[in-house]
Amino acid sequence: MAVLTHGSFTAAARAELIVQSALSTSVKNLERELGAELFDRTGRRVVPTEAGLALVPAARAVLAGTEAARDAVSSVAGLHTGRVRVGTIQTLTCVDLAAELASFHRLRPGVQISLREATTPDLIEGVRAGELDLAYLAPDAAGLPDGITAFATWHEELVLVTAPGHPLASAGRTLIKDLADEPFVDFRAGTGLETAVRRLADHCGLERRITCDVTQIRLLIDLVRAGIGVAIVPRRIGEDAGLPCLSIRQPEPGRTVVLAGRAPAPRNPAARALLERLAFVRDVRDEEPAAAGRPGGPRPPAG
């Protein structure tokens, strides 16, 4: 198209800031691929052949498509459009994720947010496969697998919740050893919360009697309220449900929650922008922003 516009290879090469030999070679390669000459080179001015004229509409469409593609990439890089995919465990309480995503949406309304709720193993696999840009996980003692890094870390207190009329309801605190005869409601094996509770029980030598196992936190809370058993959950879940919450002593229980993604950082510009907000979000229980590394607040990414 430059040769057609400027009427010679020399002028076209000068306009496109390339050497004439490279331009001539490119045009010859194109003619070879199409099986026809595109220019009549016999006169003082290079003019298109009939085949060349036939190619002009398609060539213009190709150039327009190239510009559109460049604009699309530029728009994503500038966060005018794009998509960010976030995963989370069901029992996340250290971050008000809905509020944070709403705040990000107000800043970047053109970026679509996709949110997936799943177990920690499924979320790790989603990050590893590139299906998720970021994920809130509750990893087990083995930590995160190679290729996945934690950008921020929080610590959640676990408490015992009971039905309002339970004998322990007004105790305020309890010891693990005092729960040996209690029936428990628990998450099904494989969830982050179940792993944390099982690790705590094993550490203290408690053999729990599981009355019912569930897959939804709302159902777990309803069953505890109905009196089918007690449960160990993050404090905020128990408080929001209005159930009696007992601090557990010897040892003080807790679980670690991390915001993770593929190492060393997300390639997706929208995910990088969202990470800048989420990695330093204070714990929702704090009244003041938590300093980096402060208990209850997120720790910054290494490096």
Side-chain angles (χ1 to χ4, degrees):
M1 291 301 296
V3 174
L4 184 64
T5 299
H6 296 284
S8 74
F9 282 81
T10 301
R14 186 183 303 114
E16 296 299 316
L17 302 178
I18 58 176
V19 296
Q20 181 176 334
S21 59
L23 177 59
S24 297
T25 299
S26 295
V27 172
K28 288 179 179 178
N29 289 338
L30 180 59
E31 291 175 326
R32 187 179 302 112
E33 290 179 16
L34 297 176
E37 291 188 352
L38 301 176
F39 293 101
D40 184 355
R41 300 168 172 83
T42 58
R44 292 173 58 87
R45 180 178 174 87
V46 176
V47 295
T49 62
E50 288 300 316
L53 291 174
L55 180 61
V56 168
R60 285 176 174 158
V62 169
L63 291 176
T66 301
E67 288 300 320
R70 184 179 292 109
D71 290 343
V73 173
S74 178
S75 182
V76 170
L79 299 182
H80 302 300
T81 62
R83 184 182 183 190
V84 58
R85 300 157 299 179
V86 182
T88 181
I89 53 175
Q90 184 183 157
T91 55
L92 180 71
T93 65
C94 56
V95 173
D96 188 343
L97 185 56
E100 293 302 326
L101 294 180
S103 178
F104 178 78
H105 173 69
R106 286 191 291 271
L107 291 174
R108 307 292 185 183
V111 175
Q112 180 184 357
I113 302 170
S114 178
L115 187 62
R116 179 195 301 182
E117 188 179 84
T119 64
T120 290
D122 287 343
L123 293 173
I124 289 176
E125 186 56 36
V127 172
R128 193 204 305 269
E131 298 170 354
L132 294 172
D133 298 302
L134 300 167
Y136 286 95
L137 315 170
D140 57 23
L144 298 174
D146 292 341
I148 297 180
T149 187
F151 299 118
T153 303
W154 293 263
H155 185 76
E156 293 183 327
E157 180 191 5
L158 299 179
V159 299
L160 183 80
V161 291
T162 73
H166 191 279
L168 291 174
S170 60
R173 61 182 60 187
T174 187
L175 301 175
I176 287 290
K177 66 181 182 63
D178 294 335
L179 304 177
D181 296 328
E182 293 291 338
F184 274 81
V185 181
D186 200 7
F187 267 97
R188 198 156 296 169
T191 64
L193 182 57
E194 185 274 337
T195 299
V197 173
R198 174 163 39 84
R199 192 162 61 235
L200 170 65
D202 291 346
H203 179 75
C204 299
L206 173 65
E207 294 187 9
R208 292 176 301 150
R209 177 163 57 92
I210 308 299
T211 302
C212 186
D213 62 73
V214 300
T215 58
Q216 295 292 322
I217 188 62
R218 182 177 300 177
L219 183 56
L220 181 146
I221 291 298
D222 288 344
L223 289 169
V224 171
R225 181 178 284 110
I228 196 172
V230 299
I232 296 176
V233 300
R235 176 176 288 279
R236 188 173 181 85
I237 289 178
E239 291 178 344
D240 288 349
L243 292 177
C245 297
L246 286 73
S247 299
I248 302 175
R249 301 172 57 199
Q250 297 179 357
E252 180 181 345
R255 73 167 177 176
T256 298
V257 174
V258 302
L259 175 61
R262 281 178 291 177
R267 296 180 180 177
N268 180 356
R272 289 198 301 270
L274 181 59
L275 177 60
E276 289 178 2
R277 294 186 56 84
L278 296 181
F280 294 95
V281 171
R282 66 183 177 89
D283 191 305
V284 294
R285 296 166 297 181
D286 293 342
E287 294 183 1
E288 297 295 333
R294 168 183 165 186
R299 301 185 186 117

